[in-house]
Amino acid sequence: MINNKIQYGVKVMLLALVYYVAGKLSFMISHDNYIVTIVIFAAEGFALATVIRFGKELWPGVFIGQFVLAFSSGFPLVPALAVSAVNSAEAFMGAVLFHKYLFDVELKRIKDIFGLLFLIVFVLQIFSSVLGNLILLESSIITADGFITSLFT
């Protein structure tokens, strides 16, 4: 029992570390090197792949990784926590929906590939973009004038 808890903790912390490093690297090559980036945010991809493959119960790794990333980027505590909640909920929801629609993690069928792409583009990215940018707007991290631009980047 204790061994299982240790293994779980190691997996969560490993996901948090990968998320943080991938996020930092994404920001380094982004347009403005800030929390909103126009490049693909690799951390979310690693998070989604991990929870789909190894279980949605690893979502705390996403939360921890995103929190450290946001807070170390200068976010105030409450927005950092809120954005972390959104990104971990996105990964959790992605895993639930992926398995609900019986997609195969091996992605051998066209149905699996297009199902995953549809899920990412039309559900998960919209979810995280809208909620994340509303948090940024409410926290005065972005302005109302920049909301639409930030929403689509």
Side-chain angles (χ1 to χ4, degrees), residues 8-118:
Y8 172 75
V10 168
K11 289 176 185 177
V12 165
M13 293 313 292
L14 184 58
L15 175 55
L17 178 64
V18 168
Y19 191 100
Y20 173 80
V21 170
K24 277 292 191 190
L25 290 173
S26 291
F27 292 153
M28 287 173 51
I29 62 171
S30 72
H31 172 61
D32 58 8
N33 195 21
Y34 194 61
I35 199 74
V36 178
T37 176
I38 61 171
V39 299
I40 293 174
F41 189 55
E44 286 185 354
F46 286 118
L48 182 61
T50 301
V51 296
I52 285 173
R53 180 72 175 101
F54 298 107
K56 62 186 179 290
E57 66 275 357
L58 295 177
W59 70 264
V62 180
F63 185 90
I64 294 166
Q66 176 58 54
F67 176 75
V68 173
L69 182 63
F71 199 67
S72 70
S73 297
F75 266 48
L77 179 62
V78 172
L81 289 168
V83 168
S84 302
V86 168
N87 285 9
S88 55
E90 174 192 20
F92 185 90
M93 181 173 58
V96 168
L97 292 172
F98 185 88
H99 294 295
K100 175 183 169 122
Y101 290 105
L102 304 176
F103 299 132
D104 183 5
V105 296
E106 300 291 324
L107 299 177
K108 292 180 180 178
R109 302 172 300 181
I110 296 293
K111 170 192 172 191
D112 302 323
I113 294 168
F114 282 106
L116 178 60
L117 288 173
F118 181 88

